[in-house]
Amino acid sequence: MRTRPLKVALLGCGVVGSEVARIMTTHADDLAARIGAPVELAGVAVRRPSKVRAGIDPSLITTDATALVKRGDIDVVIEVIGGIEPARTLITTAFEHGASVVSANKALLAEDGATLYAAAEQHGRDLYFEAAVAGAIPLIRPLRESLAGDKVNRVLGIVNGTTNFILDKMDSSGAGYSEALDEATALGYAEADPTADVEGFDAAAKAAILAGIAFHTRVRLDDVYREGLTEVTAADIVSAKRMGCTVKLLAICERAADGRSVTARVHPAMIPLSHPLASVREAYNAVFVEADAAGQLMFYGPGAGGAPTASAVLGDLVAVCRNRLAEATGPGESAYTQLPVSPMGDVVTRYHISLDVADKPGVLAQVATVFAEHGVSIDTVRQQGKDGEASLVVVTHRAPDAALSGTVEALRKLDTVRGVASIMRVEGE
């Protein structure tokens, strides 16, 4: 074993960063044995130096993150501060000064991962980011390495624990969205401002990263279609149960049937209770991968939190340190296919549409005609009426999303349609 330690700089010491520092200290001997050399925490960059950080030598604390990554004797920089800047500049500066990087920054990787990959390649250093997508769940490395010889066709997953907790509570207790969100906030699953989670921004960033790796092409956050779950109602949950389904906020990345394009999207969807993702409860994450040779694979576990995310960071640290000792680098960007990302309108899917209609003869015929005129085939129809008003629930067969959207717009113009109560896609079949 080499006795001279590999030096590590830690950018950020919040919930995740403090866990990383703790594990590096308490598991120092094990990490050294696994790597083949000791690892030494050489500096910790923070915004509030006066805050007490148990277990961390105060002499390591600095507010000058730039000076830390420019030291020249740093082997690995761990970035857990998040956001676009200054994280992007700090990471590229670390590469320029000879350090490899382990990051948990999903927003930056989804927004400008190409810049980070290019900088890492230019300077012959590693960029690892297992913690950026699904917390402790090993997912990035299986996609980048274990499935590197296979053809991945679809990645379907629950990648946000907050939204899964909310939808699970709505399903199990009959609560509305607001009540379920309040419970998630009280338990610490939701931030004071939950927008990034409930509007799907967090999941969309993760979908961009997964699609890029799975399909060997560049997918940015702007390429991902996004809907949040704020419009999901208790009535939607009940309708799903009647169909033998549950509602999940899904990240879906697919290769087109002809192999010439890909799609990436995030939105609520009904999935059959028989699908493995339907049983994912509370704040857990799960990702379902479909590949030509490997078939169907499912990855499941805690997708957030200090200790789970730190576990993924430390796994990357071990891999990067081993590469440093071997004077080698791991996998970089693989974007050789250069496939275009198709718009949501090209996606073929199913719809569950609930309409408020007049309870009189001929309404169903009018509605069916609209579907036929837009080339959308109806799978099932359920109608209930009372006192001149009725509800009509239509489930379609698979059709291009643009055709289904056009159908809904045409339905809104019918005099007999009082309103569109809810619209939701049906997936997982």
Side-chain angles (χ1 to χ4, degrees):
M1 177 185 292
R2 193 180 88 166
T3 57
R4 182 168 61 85
L6 293 161
K7 294 188 176 182
V8 178
L10 178 61
L11 308 183
C13 198
V15 174
V16 175
S18 60
E19 276 295 308
V20 169
R22 183 189 67 79
I23 295 172
M24 285 185 64
T25 301
T26 58
H27 295 180
D29 291 342
D30 286 338
L31 290 173
R34 294 165 190 171
I35 292 168
V39 288
E40 173 188 311
L41 189 59
V44 181
V46 300
R47 287 185 297 176
R48 294 183 292 274
S50 59
K51 181 179 178 181
V52 176
R53 294 172 172 86
I56 298 178
D57 184 346
S59 68
L60 298 178
I61 301 296
T62 178
T63 58
D64 194 343
T66 301
L68 179 59
V69 300
K70 283 184 173 181
R71 275 178 37 172
D73 64 337
I74 300 298
D75 294 289
V76 183
V77 170
I78 298 175
E79 182 272 310
V80 288
I81 58 177
I84 307 301
E85 289 291 355
R88 174 169 47 199
T89 298
L90 290 169
I91 289 173
T92 55
T93 300
F95 289 138
E96 291 167 4
H97 288 78
S100 290
V101 174
V102 173
S103 175
N105 196 331
K106 55 185 172 288
L108 177 55
L109 287 159
E111 179 67 29
D112 198 16
T115 294
L116 305 187
Y117 278 124
E121 182 177 3
Q122 178 184 353
H123 298 285
R125 293 295 179 250
D126 276 323
L127 172 65
Y128 276 53
F129 47 89
E130 185 67 66
V133 171
I137 304 172
L139 181 59
I140 300 301
R141 191 170 288 114
L143 284 174
R144 288 214 292 184
E145 300 178 30
S146 303
L147 296 174
D150 207 340
K151 180 183 177 184
V152 176
N153 296 308
R154 194 173 196 231
V155 180
L156 173 75
I158 297 165
V159 294
N160 183 277
T162 300
T163 53
N164 198 60
F165 179 88
I166 291 170
L167 290 170
D168 184 46
K169 288 303 173 185
M170 291 176 70
D171 182 85
S172 61
S173 70
Y177 165 76
S178 296
E179 293 83 359
L181 174 59
D182 288 343
E183 184 174 354
T185 304
L187 293 172
Y189 292 125
E191 302 287 345
D193 179 1
T195 302
D197 293 323
V198 300
E199 294 294 354
F201 290 103
D202 176 85
K206 295 171 180 178
I209 295 169
L210 290 173
I213 296 171
F215 307 132
H216 304 279
T217 195
R218 285 183 179 170
V219 180
R220 299 179 69 250
L221 180 58
D222 290 345
D223 296 321
V224 181
Y225 175 84
R226 176 192 55 79
E227 288 180 23
L229 55 72
T230 55
E231 300 301 318
V232 176
T233 66
D236 292 327
I237 304 296
V238 171
S239 292
K241 287 183 176 181
R242 286 174 178 164
M243 291 177 58
C245 293
T246 189
V247 178
K248 300 291 185 182
L249 185 77
L250 299 178
I252 306 171
C253 311
E254 294 178 303
R255 188 191 301 268
D258 61 9
R260 296 180 181 177
S261 64
V262 299
T263 58
R265 50 196 166 106
V266 168
H267 55 72
M270 296 180 179
I271 59 172
L273 294 176
S274 58
H275 194 281
L277 291 179
S279 62
V280 179
R281 307 295 302 273
E282 299 285 329
Y284 278 76
N285 285 190
V287 178
F288 202 72
V289 177
E290 300 176 9
D292 273 1
Q296 297 179 332
L297 308 170
M298 183 167 163
F299 301 84
Y300 170 84
T309 305
S311 171
V313 170
L314 268 295
D316 279 350
L317 177 65
V318 169
V320 169
C321 286
R322 286 172 175 170
N323 290 344
R324 294 285 292 203
L325 293 178
E327 297 183 351
T329 55
E333 182 181 31
S334 177
Y336 71 92
T337 63
Q338 300 182 22
L339 295 173
V341 182
S342 296
M344 185 64 189
D346 292 346
V347 171
V348 177
T349 186
R350 299 175 66 202
Y351 260 117
H352 174 281
I353 304 170
S354 180
L355 305 171
D356 295 326
V357 298
D359 186 16
K360 62 182 184 180
V363 173
L364 180 57
Q366 286 184 333
V367 169
T369 297
V370 170
F371 278 91
E373 289 173 346
H374 287 79
V376 178
S377 177
I378 295 176
D379 183 14
T380 62
V381 177
R382 185 176 71 252
Q383 184 175 7
Q384 292 179 323
K386 184 178 180 180
D387 298 329
E389 297 295 331
S391 64
L392 189 65
V393 177
V394 178
V395 179
T396 73
H397 285 291
R398 289 170 61 82
D401 199 81
L404 289 165
S405 297
T407 302
V408 171
E409 290 306 309
L411 289 171
R412 295 181 193 274
K413 297 176 182 179
L414 291 178
D415 292 339
T416 51
V417 175
R418 310 296 193 217
V420 180
S422 69
I423 307 169
M424 191 170 295
R425 295 173 182 85
V426 182
E427 299 286 347
E429 296 181 294

